[in-house]
Each structure stands twice: as C-alpha cells, then as structure tokens.
Amino acid sequence: MTFHVYPDPQTAPRTVAPSATEAISINQLTGTAVPAGSYTKMMFIRVAANGGGTTPTLFLKAGNGAPVEAKSLPTGVLRGPDPTADYVGDVRLLGDANNVQRLRMGFIDVDAVESWELRVRNNGVAAIQVTAVAAESEAETAQPWISVGGGLLAYHALVNETVPQRLTVANKGTGPLNFTAPGPTLPSGFTITSTLPLSIPPTGSAQLEITFTSPASPPPPLGASSASALLTADPADTTAGTSPEHNQQVTLSTTTQRLEVVLLLDDSGSMAWDALGQDPANKAGSRWGELTSAVNQFLDMLAHFGEKRGRFGIARFPAADELNPATFDIVPMTDIPGAMSAAQNAVAAITPAGGTPMGDGFDRVLSPATSYFGTDQLSRAVDRRWLILLSDGAHNSGTHNPIEFIGSPGTAPPGTSLADLKVHLFAVAYGIDGHSDVDHVLMKTLATGSLGGGKVRNVDEEGTTAAELAVALRDALKAGLTPTAAPRDPRGAYPGQGEVRHEALLTQYDGKVAFVISWNTSEAGRLSLALLTPAGEEVSADFTPPGVEMRLGDRSHMYLVDRDFLRGRHGTWTLTVTGNGPEDYVYDVLTETSLRLSIELDRPTYYAGEPITVSARLTAAGGPVLGASVTLGIDSPATALANWLATVQIPQDSLNRAAELLSGKDVTPVLVKQYGARLAQLPYPGGRFTNDVPMTDVDGTGVYQATLAGNTVPGNYAFTVTALGLSDGGAFRREGAAQTTVLVRPNPEFSHVEVQYGRRGKAMVTLIPRDEYGNVLLVDPQTATWLEPLGHGDFGELDSNLDGTYTCPASFDPDVVDGIEVGFQFGEDAVVAPSRFPLPEQLTFPDQVVSFTPGRVIDKERVPRVDDVLGSVIHKGRATALALGAGGSVTVGFKGQVVLAGDGGPDITVFVRRDGDLRAYRLEALDEGRGTWMTVGESIGITQPFSLSSTGLAATPALRVTDLSGRARGADDRLLRDPGVNVRGLGVARTDGTRG
C-alpha cells in the first residue's frame, strides 16, 4: 500500500491565482486497474481545491507529450508526438464532493514507466489552494491534510476561572479528517469541551474548543505557563510537520491573574449637596447618597463575578481625621467575598465633609508604606489592578498633588507612576455642567497616565445622575476588570402604570448573569423587576429559585444568576418592569461570557480637530466573529463649557452673592463663577448632538471600525456600540460603551502673551492659549503644571483668570535687560516662543490726535477725553484710556515726526485697558505717498507689540487703531460705560524729525 502527498515538500498547499495554471510533478505509482481487466495497471490521483468555490480544470501530462484535459470519458494520453507509438493509455475524471476530483490513469503497457505532471487551472475569481495524492489504489488517495494555523491558543484568566478558547482546525487534504483525542493527553488544567469525535470533510474546517481552568493562584514568577499538544488524526496525517499551513501541534499559553480592585471615593463637603449643587432634603438625595446606591450595586456584582478571584479595598479623601491617616480607609484590602454587606454599610455610614485632597487619596492607596496594591514582583507583573476614582470636584487641598502619580506631563519619579505600578485608572467624573467644578481635564489626564491609557466616564446628565453613576461603575466591570459583557444596556421609561417589557438574548457562550434596573429617585420598590426565562419560568421578588439571588436597593433591583441555573436556559429572556410612579431607568444585563465585544479608541488623548476612530472587536471563545451588523452611536457636545465660562459676562453683584453663599464650602473659583452665572440667570446653554453610523470590518478580522471627524468642540464624547449577528451559539446581541474627553491644544498662531509693566523691575505676564478653532484652555494651573511661562525673568505662581487667560507676576533687572522676554509652553512644546516686550521708558508716545471717529453707542452725555490716548502710559492711572466705541477708531501722530520702521522686531506697542473681556482691534499705518492705510496687524484685545516693517513701509506719519469687537453692551444687556476697545496709548521705538 503506497501513496504520495503533493506538493512535495508538504509544507503548504500549492496556491493557484485566478485564471492561472500551476504544474505539480508526480511520481508514478500504479496498482490494479478498476474495473478489473480494463487496463494492465492504473495510477490513481485525487485533487482537492481549497477556497474559491469554482471547480478547477485538471490536466495530465506524460513525458514529452502535450497536457491532456481530464474529462468524464476516457481520453488518450501520449508521451510524445506519435499518436500510435507514444500512446500510454487513457485518463478519466470522476467528481467527488467538497471540490475534490479523482483521476484514473489506465496503462496499456504493464512495463510503462513515465514522468508525470499534474496541471491545475483556476477558473474562479479567487485564489485556490491545491493538494493532491497519487497512490496505487483509489482508497489510498483519500488522505487528510491537517492545519491548525499558527496553532497558538493564548489564555488570559483570573484565578479560579474557566476560560474556553476555540481553534480552527482545517482539513486541506483529499480525504476526511477525524479527530478523536489529543495525543499525548492535554496538560493539566486543560480539557476538550467540543463534542468528539470531530469529523472534518476534505476542504472543510471546524472549531475545536479547549477550555482552561486556572489555578487558585498565579504561578511564579510571572503568572505564565506554556505547553503543547498534538492533535491525533484518523487516518493519520503522516506528512504533517510544523509549518503554519500543515501542522497538528497546538501551543497552549496561559497567563493567570488575580484581581486587585480599589475604589477611591471623594467624600468632600460638596458630596453632601445634590446633583445641582443645592442642599438636599435628606442624605439619600445627596451626591453621596447617589454614590452609595451605585457602589452597593457595583459591590454586589463584584462579589457575583469576582468572588475568590482576588482582593478589593475602599478608601476615601479626605480622611475622617486629618491627624489619623488610617481614617482614609473604609475597607482595607481583603479577599473578594460572596457577600458585600459589611463594605456597603461602611460606605453608607460616611458623612461627607472638608475639601478635596485628591492627591492625598492617591498617596494613601499607592504609597509603598500604605499601598492597597500588592508590592511584590508577582502582583506587579501579573495582577489585574484597577483603581476606580470617583470625584465631583477639583483637587483643592492637601499635601500631595494628584499629578505626582503619573509620568509626563506629571511629576512621578520613574517606577512610581500609575503606569509603572501596572495600575489602570477608571475615572468617574460626577458633575453636571454649570453645577459642579469637577475637573474633567485632570480626570482625563490622570486616566491617560495610567496603564493602557485608563478609562473615563462622565456622569453629567441632569435628572438621571444616580442611575448614570451606577452605569458608570458597572462599565468598570465591562471594561476588562472581569470577563463580562452586556447583551443589553439601554434606557427605559416607566409611565407610572402597567408594565414595560424588554428582551435580552443569552447564548451558549454565557455563564453567570446579572439582571439589574437602576433609577434616580431614592425609594426602595419604586420600580420592580421580574424575569421570564426562555422556558417560561418566572423569577420575581415573590419567587426566587435556587441558583438565583435577588438584591433590592433604594435605587435598584437586581437578580444574580449562577452558571448552573443558566445551563439549558439560553435564549431570549424577558425583563418586566413595574412600579409605583413615573420613573426613568436604565436596565442592564451583564454576563460572564466568552462572546465578547471589546471597544477601543485609537489613541489615549484627543485634541479638538483630531479624528476619533472607534474599534469594536467581536470574539467568540477567542476567535473572530465575522459578518455582524455593528453600529456606533455618537453623543457629542454642541458647545464647550470652557468657552462659555470664559466669555460669559456676569454682573459683579451676582459674583459677590455667589461668593457669599459658597463661602467656607468645598468649592473652587470656577464653581463660584458658574454659580454667579446661575444667580444672574445666565445658565450654560449646553446641548448635545447624537447620531448613529455603521461600523465596518474592512480586513475581515472581526474588528469593526468607524471614524468621527470634525470634532472641533472640546468636551465629553460618549460612544455606544451595538453588535448583532450569528455565531455557533446562535443569534446574539452585544452592547458596549466608551468615553473620552476632547481637550484643547494651544496653537502658536492663535495664542498670545501680554505684558503689563508696573513699578521698576516688575510686570504682570498674561498667557492667552487658544487653538485654531477659537477654543480656550481652561485648566487649574496648580494641577495642569505643564502650562507655564517660558523665557528670561523670575516668574511667580500662575493664576487662572477664569476667562481662558492666566496671569503671573514677573521680576527682572532693568539695569541688565531692556524688557522682559517671555512666551509660554504647553507640555514640552513651546507654544509662543519668547519675545521681547519693550519697556515703556524706551518708547516715544504720540502728542496729537489726528482724528477720532467714535463708534456706536458712545454715551452722548459723557464726552470722551480724546487726549487720554496721548502721552506716556507710565504715569497714567490704570483707568485712563480712550474708549473707541463699537467700531470706532482713533488716529494719532507725532508733531514734526515720523515713526521709523525697525529691523523686523517690535517697534510699535499698543497699550489697552481690558474692560472685563477681550475686545479685538486693528492697527494701521498711513502710507503717505499713496494716501492709503496699511494694516500693521490685528490683536484679540491685549497690550501687544507690532512691527511696522511688516507693512513694507520705512516710515509713517500716523497710526490708526480701529475697534473690531463691536462690543457695546454688557452681559446684562445694558450699554457699556466704555464700549469697544479701550486704548491707553501707543508707544513707538524710533521717530525721526524730518517733517516740518
């Protein structure tokens, strides 16, 4: 019994391109003819074509003869040109299933030995892979060709977890492949969970599921192990080797991890307010009350999905007693239990008070002496470490700055940052725009500086903050903390009577399940959830069968279903919601599953104007899921809070009243300004845009993508992904979410620096960062230390003016330098390169007003003092300035003098007095020869140096300043006392007295 497998060597099938023909040399093997006596002997060949779908044409060539197309009737084959003397015999084609064809080559001469060539012509539009077997008998031509691709299954498991993975086993041979068992047996911890035997026809493939049950602790030193196993085929594949396309060896790689979960909760005084910043009727209505409800739900689910899989702890900031650091601790690190009542009671017992020392909270849970996270090598190298931070405010007190715990742009020394400690940060920013001073930029920056770029969730929708906070914490479970996914995660509305029904589809891939509804009003039983299994069984508060646990909270109703109860109950479950009154809610289904939807953004940080690409990877037991219908829901801001806050003009009495009402409370100046705006009935307009776009799997890898372009508005962007499709477990639905905060990166062309000189050797420097879309940068300089002056001089502490500008004092030695040279940097980039700002003492000021054209709405009863624009600004009071009015202009000159252009540096400085906001203006120089005005430059409304040489003029007799702001009324809609830009004076570097 003899056969030979081709191509030889048998490392990979022969690829035949569309419309191409490939030749394979065949060694002659002959046996008894079929039917008996029809020929003296016969050679049998079987050919398999993998892929393509179109049957190829086969040719057989003997010696120097012409290739002969094999057909269903015997066709003569010649070894040479003589049709009689060179006649060898006949070839006949017989068809098999699965794109397999058989050839019978009958010989007329029992002693004939020829050289043979099999030719394959691809008639399709896609490439095919060809294998062939020549043998002494037809039965022997049916041989398997096993291929397990790369043959690698990589398992990432928590301790005490069961993880299935699937391997695609392909049969590219000419005969069936039957897989009965691995040989030798699988390594410890692995079992085959596919039904055996596994039968794969020629050119077919099948999924082989191998399940890993992880140990109770990660193996040292790195929690990893590796083993291999051979898949035994029947009949045996005698030519299988180790090449990627012809092998039967499976490599099993495992990484076993423990959970380390730390909740770091903001219990500052502002958490005692309600979501709108008011005093609530009771503690349950406070932000801390909403947090308590959300944490209760999270802890119940952590116990359900994480019991015996690691450790958890809860800390807070500020500590209850600032003299006792142990009072940072709510629950010191401990094993994750099956019940969380003790931890839940400890959180509920806290009464918020004090400031927001966020950095001190980080120090408590990360400092080596008090670290909640394991400090041994195995823990750092292996464990799944998550720090879940929840805060409603900005860092405003304490010893440590939170940026001490991230690398650049933070200040963490090497080896001490969140990323270096292998800790993911899941930051939950609680705060409705206009009612909270939560620092979204800081929260995003901290998350980005953690392992893998972290995650951010923003709880900012009025009226649903309690439910949304619960959803945000559940998202931490779905984001990779535990192996959970959500078949459903939408919102609902109970109308106040009757019932509302929803459906959730659970598949064969799913194990433990949690069904939950969350609502906003603190009232136990306000809503009630009941379940109907696919078998028609009811689960309710009145009947909870074994294998199902119920949890009732003041804002939630939950069922926790174990794996054994779900077995045999896969399919469509019905969730029925009833209640005692109208209520919006969120219903959620979390399942421990191997059918997963993983959502990733293409970068950790985005700035306004940059596209955002969202990727959704669908996998079933580790393999890609193709052909799904995947949709991306986009929720983006219509306006930017920072832009509004920077430009809104709030009456001073409203600001004073806000400061009085918030005095002594846990607030920042940003919140005081927002509160003042509300008192003045100037609410933040807000607004959101929503739309859905399809996601496409361009590469056929199960990764679906969509890109959002034109994101010029900074703020919080939320994405939801819904995937519908079919897999081996039947129909499925998966949903997931991601969020990011689009930040502002100052653009050099649109950013400015202003210098206002004071007494000798002193000045105030103002930084004005802007991007090309007009967005302001509104950050806390105490935590955003990457924004700082750059240049020569001694610069003091930078303060925010709450309008997108930042001011710091500066000092210099006027005997050494003739003015400050200053710019500013953002991170490691110089946004505005340092340039010199001339000292007023070195400038000449105009002595005549050539003309004054007052702008609109100049108070007729108040005569402008046009001479206020003349003379040096050194001895003028700060209030002395000429208000041009909306669109007004003033032209000044020098008696008997012309202004001379310099060598390209600043030679004209326009000094302005800011009247509450920035009012743009234009500076022009008169081209006396042509009688036209040339634009020297434009300003956003600051004291600014200009260069006359930019106009091409060597000299000019007059300069004109024109208001471009058009500002005539204030935030209260009343006429401004000093409308338009207010000009204090113009100073020039050089004049010449050649004019008469």
Side-chain angles (χ1 to χ4, degrees):
M1 304 291 286
T2 305
F3 63 88
H4 199 99
V5 179
Y6 299 94
D8 189 356
Q10 297 89 3
T11 54
R14 178 67 57 84
T15 298
V16 186
S19 303
T21 300
E22 290 285 336
I24 301 174
S25 295
I26 300 291
N27 295 327
Q28 180 176 306
L29 294 172
T30 58
T32 303
V34 176
S38 56
Y39 293 91
T40 62
K41 61 182 179 180
M42 185 169 282
M43 180 169 63
F44 302 90
I45 302 174
R46 199 177 300 240
V47 182
N50 294 268
T54 302
T55 302
T57 301
L58 305 182
F59 301 83
L60 200 59
K61 179 180 180 292
N64 295 321
V68 176
E69 181 180 346
K71 298 181 180 179
S72 59
L73 294 176
T75 304
V77 177
L78 306 179
R79 67 173 64 88
D82 191 322
T84 301
D86 291 331
Y87 175 56
V88 177
D90 303 298
V91 64
R92 183 179 183 183
L93 177 70
L94 296 93
D96 273 358
N98 304 309
N99 220 1
V100 176
Q101 301 178 85
R102 287 177 287 138
L103 299 180
R104 292 177 180 175
M105 178 62 213
F107 291 78
I108 61 170
D109 183 355
V110 68
D111 296 322
V113 177
E114 308 293 342
S115 60
W116 294 93
E117 190 176 85
L118 172 68
R119 295 191 177 186
V120 182
R121 184 177 69 200
N122 184 356
N123 301 313
V125 295
I128 58 175
Q129 289 188 313
V130 175
T131 62
V133 179
E136 295 179 350
S137 70
E138 198 157 66
E140 289 177 296
T141 61
Q143 299 295 328
W145 178 301
I146 187 171
S147 175
V148 291
L152 172 65
L153 289 180
Y155 296 83
H156 295 271
L158 293 171
V159 293
N160 300 310
E161 183 182 0
T162 299
V163 179
Q165 291 273 37
R166 289 189 175 186
L167 181 74
T168 299
V169 181
N171 178 12
K172 299 183 179 182
T174 59
L177 172 71
N178 298 306
F179 173 69
T180 55
T185 58
L186 289 175
S188 175
F190 292 93
T191 56
I192 292 177
T193 43
S194 293
T195 301
L196 297 180
L198 193 67
S199 297
I200 308 173
T203 72
S205 65
Q207 297 288 310
L208 178 67
E209 185 173 277
I210 301 177
T211 297
F212 171 59
T213 301
S214 61
S217 60
L222 300 176
S225 65
S226 181
S228 61
L230 294 176
L231 304 183
T232 302
D234 180 23
D237 184 350
T238 59
T239 59
T242 58
S243 64
E245 294 198 64
H246 195 186
N247 68 87
Q248 60 193 75
Q249 179 172 293
V250 179
T251 300
L252 305 170
S253 170
T254 68
T255 300
T256 302
Q257 302 172 292
R258 289 172 301 212
L259 281 177
E260 293 186 62
V261 184
V262 177
L263 279 75
L264 182 57
L265 308 178
D266 177 354
D267 71 329
S268 62
S270 59
M271 289 295 290
W273 303 343
D274 67 13
L276 296 177
Q278 306 296 320
D279 291 326
N282 51 51
K283 185 177 180 180
S286 68
R287 296 175 185 177
W288 188 261
E290 294 187 354
L291 177 144
T292 299
S293 300
V295 167
N296 283 348
Q297 297 171 55
F298 172 82
L299 292 176
D300 283 335
M301 291 188 181
L302 180 62
H304 184 56
F305 293 113
E307 183 184 8
K308 297 181 180 179
R309 292 181 176 174
R311 295 164 61 80
F312 89 107
I314 308 176
R316 63 178 178 176
F317 60 92
D321 180 356
E322 62 181 13
L323 299 179
N324 181 5
T327 58
F328 278 104
D329 306 326
I330 301 176
V331 178
M333 287 296 279
T334 186
D335 292 340
I336 298 174
M340 288 283 189
S341 57
Q344 291 165 334
N345 291 337
V347 172
I350 290 173
T351 299
T356 308
M358 186 184 296
D360 290 354
F362 273 93
D363 181 69
R364 180 65 182 179
V365 299
L366 295 175
S367 176
T370 58
S371 178
Y372 275 47
F373 296 97
T375 57
D376 60 287
Q377 180 185 10
L378 184 62
S379 296
R380 285 184 63 163
V382 174
D383 287 358
R384 201 174 295 179
R385 295 147 70 99
W386 285 76
L387 175 58
I388 302 173
L389 167 68
L390 186 144
S391 179
D392 74 327
H395 167 77
N396 60 17
S397 61
T399 303
H400 296 276
N401 192 316
I403 65 168
E404 295 174 22
F405 301 93
I406 59 171
S408 180
T411 60
T416 66
S417 70
L418 285 165
D420 291 340
L421 295 174
K422 310 301 183 187
V423 175
H424 300 266
L425 178 64
F426 193 97
V428 181
Y430 179 121
I432 299 172
D433 288 341
H435 300 268
S436 165
D437 58 3
V438 61
D439 192 337
H440 291 286
V441 174
L442 176 62
M443 298 286 269
K444 173 61 179 171
T445 302
L446 293 172
T448 301
S450 72
L451 186 65
K455 305 287 183 184
V456 174
R457 291 295 183 270
N458 299 292
V459 179
D460 54 9
E461 186 168 332
E462 184 175 346
T464 63
T465 48
E468 293 298 327
L469 186 57
V471 169
L473 291 180
R474 289 200 289 270
D475 279 352
L477 295 171
K478 303 173 196 174
L481 179 59
T482 60
T484 56
R488 298 290 296 190
D489 181 14
R491 300 182 181 187
Y494 183 68
Q497 58 184 355
E499 63 182 29
V500 180
R501 293 194 169 201
H502 306 284
E503 293 183 345
L505 184 61
L506 298 177
T507 73
Q508 298 288 338
Y509 296 100
D510 301 329
K512 292 181 178 181
V513 187
F515 298 88
V516 61
I517 56 173
S518 305
W519 60 90
N520 215 63
T521 304
S522 178
E523 180 185 335
R526 183 169 181 82
L527 295 181
S528 180
L529 176 65
L531 305 177
L532 186 66
T533 74
E537 306 153 297
E538 292 188 7
V539 178
S540 67
D542 296 326
F543 176 70
T544 305
V548 180
E549 295 183 15
M550 182 177 67
R551 299 284 189 271
L552 294 175
D554 66 326
R555 291 183 171 96
S556 63
H557 191 177
M558 181 187 310
Y559 295 100
L560 304 173
V561 180
D562 67 25
R563 182 183 296 272
D564 291 337
F565 185 84
L566 186 62
R567 189 172 292 116
R569 295 180 174 89
H570 298 100
T572 300
W573 288 61
T574 301
L575 292 75
T576 302
V577 180
T578 56
N580 297 324
E583 186 78 19
D584 292 335
Y585 60 89
V586 178
Y587 66 102
D588 208 346
V589 183
L590 280 75
T591 175
E592 186 174 87
T593 183
S594 59
L595 176 56
R596 298 180 183 173
L597 174 64
S598 303
I599 302 172
E600 295 293 337
L601 305 181
D602 63 329
R603 64 182 74 174
T605 302
Y606 297 92
Y607 294 98
E610 294 180 339
I612 301 173
T613 297
V614 182
S615 297
R617 181 184 297 274
L618 267 175
T619 57
V625 177
L626 308 180
S629 174
V630 185
T631 303
L632 175 66
I634 303 168
D635 187 322
S636 57
T639 59
L641 173 64
N643 291 344
W644 169 78
L645 193 61
T647 57
V648 64
Q649 296 297 303
I650 305 170
Q652 190 60 47
D653 58 346
S654 297
L655 288 174
N656 294 342
R657 179 61 175 158
E660 178 184 344
L661 293 173
L662 299 177
S663 176
K665 295 188 176 182
D666 175 34
V667 297
T668 65
V670 170
L671 185 56
V672 173
K673 186 172 182 180
Q674 294 182 65
Y675 198 82
R678 294 208 307 275
L679 293 177
Q681 298 185 342
L682 296 169
Y684 170 54
R688 309 283 297 180
F689 294 125
T690 58
N691 67 304
D692 295 332
V693 297
M695 304 183 76
T696 55
D697 180 9
V698 176
D699 299 325
T701 57
V703 178
Y704 301 80
Q705 291 187 331
T707 298
L708 174 64
N711 315 306
T712 60
V713 179
N716 300 327
Y717 286 69
F719 304 98
T720 56
V721 176
T722 303
L724 304 172
L726 295 171
S727 191
D728 291 348
F732 70 84
R733 178 189 181 105
R734 286 292 183 267
E735 298 188 359
Q739 293 187 18
T740 191
T741 299
V742 173
L743 307 175
V744 175
R745 177 165 49 201
N747 185 311
E749 294 185 25
F750 299 88
S751 298
H752 304 273
V753 172
E754 180 183 49
V755 173
Q756 295 279 5
Y757 287 105
R759 59 188 177 86
R760 179 176 169 80
K762 303 294 182 182
M764 294 298 293
V765 175
T766 300
L767 314 184
I768 308 172
R770 298 283 189 275
D771 69 9
E772 58 267 45
Y773 309 105
N775 297 312
V776 306
L777 181 70
L778 196 61
V779 296
D780 181 357
Q782 305 310 308
T783 54
T785 56
W786 47 91
L787 175 68
E788 57 184 346
L790 183 67
H792 302 297
D794 294 326
F795 302 106
E797 188 173 280
L798 196 65
D799 288 323
S800 171
N801 299 314
L802 305 183
D803 59 359
T805 70
Y806 303 84
T807 300
C808 69
S811 59
F812 61 97
D813 187 346
D815 295 326
V816 177
V817 296
D818 55 0
I820 281 185
E821 188 173 294
V822 63
F824 75 86
Q825 65 183 34
F826 182 73
E828 298 179 355
D829 300 323
V831 177
V832 176
S835 60
R836 187 178 63 83
F837 288 78
L839 288 168
E841 294 91 332
Q842 298 171 335
L843 301 178
T844 301
F845 291 84
D847 52 13
Q848 65 176 349
V849 174
V850 177
S851 66
F852 173 53
T853 304
R856 298 184 306 277
V857 202
I858 289 286
D859 189 345
K860 295 181 179 179
E861 297 183 359
R862 180 171 173 267
V863 180
R865 293 171 50 89
V866 295
D867 288 349
D868 284 349
V869 77
L870 301 178
S872 172
V873 298
I874 297 176
H875 303 296
K876 289 182 182 178
R878 291 290 302 163
T880 303
L882 175 62
L884 301 188
S889 65
V890 63
T891 303
V892 298
F894 300 79
K895 295 177 182 178
Q897 303 280 321
V898 294
V899 179
L900 298 179
D903 56 3
D907 43 36
I908 304 171
T909 302
V910 179
F911 296 84
V912 301
R913 175 176 64 87
R914 280 197 258 150
D915 187 26
D917 62 329
L918 296 175
R919 299 177 192 172
Y921 63 86
R922 178 188 300 119
L923 174 66
E924 297 167 291
L926 178 63
D927 183 341
E928 191 172 24
R930 297 182 180 180
T932 58
W933 288 95
M934 305 288 289
T935 298
V936 181
E938 293 183 356
S939 171
I940 61 172
I942 61 175
T943 293
Q944 184 169 332
F946 296 89
S947 175
L948 178 60
S949 61
S950 65
T951 66
L953 297 176
T956 181
L959 299 171
R960 182 168 70 184
V961 178
T962 302
D963 173 72
L964 300 179
S965 71
R967 289 273 287 129
R969 294 181 181 271
D972 56 3
D973 291 326
R974 296 179 179 177
L975 295 178
L976 291 170
R977 172 181 171 83
D978 297 308
V981 65
N982 290 203
V983 183
R984 297 184 64 223
L986 289 83
V988 302
R990 297 171 59 209
T991 61
D992 183 74
T994 59
R995 301 181 81 237

